Amino acid sequence: MTKPNMSVEIAGVKWNNPVTTASGTFGFGKEYAEYFDLGELGAVCLKSLSAVPRLGNPSPRIAETNYGILNSVGLQNPGAEYFLENELEEIRKYDTKIIANICGSTVEDYIAVTKILQDKVDMLELNISCPNVKEGGMAFGTNKDMVYDITSRVKEAAKVPLIVKLSPNVTDIAEIAASAESGGADALSLINTLLGMRIDIKTRRPILKNNMGGLSGPAVKPVAVRMVYQVRQAVKLPIIGMGGISTSDDAIEFMMAGANAVAVGTAGFVDPYAWVNVKNGIEQFLIENNISDVNDIVGTVELN
Ligand code: SIN
């Protein structure tokens, strides 16, 4: 069989393949460029950026769990202007699409960072799902009216396609996804982390200084697959699925549930080649199953 088509189109942007990075697990890409050519990935989604630098939360802000990690980083970043001046040029050298994840405490903050970054990157990802901050983040993403409001206002300011990143910390993910779609989102990504907690039984104190944090890694995968499936039934937008993807089999599950592309995150902390291995494994699966186009597996799950 000739090589299968691996390219996908997400909101009019052509990616060479369906694999990207989950924001916050890949920095601005430089560290991983020492391991592999970033052009191996369809897109790179970078650490959240705000209009002004943020220090993030106090340490400790990482706690290991049996099948994943909790983080309470708190959107630490050097600010969008710093990124443009010091980081963007390096990533631009690679044949991959660049997604800037944007954050803020108020709608005005989100609009401000959108205006700084837009047209310098290929896509924007609206982070209304970070569980680690008191203002902004998940506070916006768990209320359907606020999701509509912020999506429509940022969309008005944005000149490149807008992906809205959804929180799993809701009872009805389909309702939230539909609000983002009505607000003008061009694509959705899900899931961000699940709010969790660990306690040191010797000190009787939470391990994270922030007390709670976002759980990612293999533990969240079945929740994420279920949510991608539910969102696929509710909206027509392209979906970037993520949450505990470590292998190509995991990625294929997400695509069968309805994801048009997938993001690998926490697995990269264990193996810096995880992203490339997932991409190569998807291609191998297509060859072995005589499937000529990766898009043909999207949404092909058949319910019992
Ligand atoms: C963080 O910086 O706290 C993590 C990012 C996120 O959960 O969106």
Side-chain angles (χ1 to χ4, degrees):
M1 185 186 165
T2 52
K3 267 184 166 286
N5 171 51
M6 284 285 281
S7 70
V8 298
E9 200 176 295
I10 306 295
V13 180
K14 189 176 170 209
W15 298 12
N16 292 335
N17 64 68
V19 180
T20 184
T21 59
S23 173
T25 62
F26 199 70
F28 299 121
K30 254 191 329 227
E31 298 89 336
Y32 289 98
E34 291 172 20
Y35 292 92
F36 62 88
D37 173 0
L38 302 188
E40 294 260 3
L41 303 180
V44 289
C45 184
L46 309 173
K47 174 67 185 150
S48 303
L49 288 164
S50 43
V52 291
R54 293 178 65 117
L55 287 174
N57 291 326
S59 296
R61 48 192 199 178
I62 295 286
E64 289 193 29
T65 70
N66 288 351
Y67 298 103
I69 56 169
L70 285 171
N71 91 81
S72 61
V73 172
L75 302 172
Q76 178 184 350
N77 78 87
E81 304 277 11
Y82 178 94
F83 165 75
L84 292 182
E85 279 158 34
N86 299 283
E87 304 282 351
L88 181 62
E89 197 182 322
E90 183 62 27
I91 321 167
R92 270 275 167 244
K93 291 181 189 155
Y94 299 94
D95 179 21
T96 187
K97 296 294 184 277
I98 300 174
I99 306 172
N101 179 291
I102 53 169
C103 63
S105 301
T106 63
V107 177
E108 288 68 31
D109 289 348
Y110 281 90
I111 292 171
V113 68
T114 299
K115 288 185 173 164
I116 297 170
L117 289 172
Q118 62 180 345
D119 68 16
K120 310 277 191 317
V121 294
D122 299 295
M123 305 181 90
L124 293 169
E125 182 177 60
L126 181 65
N127 186 348
I128 48 170
S129 45
C130 173
N132 301 324
V133 287
K134 286 196 187 74
E135 292 160 338
M138 193 174 88
F140 283 116
T142 48
N143 174 299
K144 72 177 169 54
D145 298 327
M146 285 169 91
V147 169
Y148 176 85
D149 182 58
I150 191 167
T151 303
S152 51
R153 291 174 65 190
V154 172
K155 173 69 186 166
E156 220 175 271
K159 292 188 181 139
V160 291
L162 182 68
I163 304 162
V164 176
K165 186 165 184 179
L166 304 183
S167 170
N169 301 298
V170 296
T171 43
D172 187 349
I173 189 85
E175 180 183 62
I176 301 284
S179 282
E181 185 174 53
S182 318
D186 298 296
L188 300 176
S189 58
L190 65 145
I191 60 173
N192 203 323
T193 54
L194 270 161
L195 190 62
M197 186 175 187
R198 278 209 56 210
I199 295 169
D200 179 338
I201 60 168
K202 293 194 196 80
T203 61
R204 299 185 187 217
R205 283 179 178 275
I207 293 175
L208 297 173
K209 188 76 175 174
N210 202 43
N211 298 321
M212 294 175 203
L215 179 65
S216 62
V220 309
K221 196 191 89 181
V223 177
V225 171
R226 182 263 295 176
M227 289 190 159
V228 165
Y229 175 78
Q230 289 177 319
V231 169
R232 178 74 292 149
Q233 307 312 304
V235 302
K236 296 210 162 21
L237 297 176
I239 295 173
I240 303 163
M242 72 191 84
I245 297 177
S246 310
T247 65
S248 52
D249 284 4
D250 295 337
I252 291 162
E253 259 191 76
F254 275 80
M255 296 189 81
M256 289 183 172
N260 303 84
V262 288
V264 178
T266 305
F269 297 141
V270 181
D271 175 4
Y273 297 102
W275 292 277
V276 178
N277 291 340
V278 166
K279 190 263 290 182
N280 291 341
I282 296 173
E283 191 168 24
Q284 194 55 35
F285 174 86
L286 299 178
I287 293 167
E288 281 166 15
N289 290 278
N290 216 20
I291 300 169
S292 60
D293 188 334
V294 71
N295 296 286
D296 289 347
I297 62 173
V298 174
T300 54
V301 63
E302 292 174 25
L303 294 192
N304 298 318

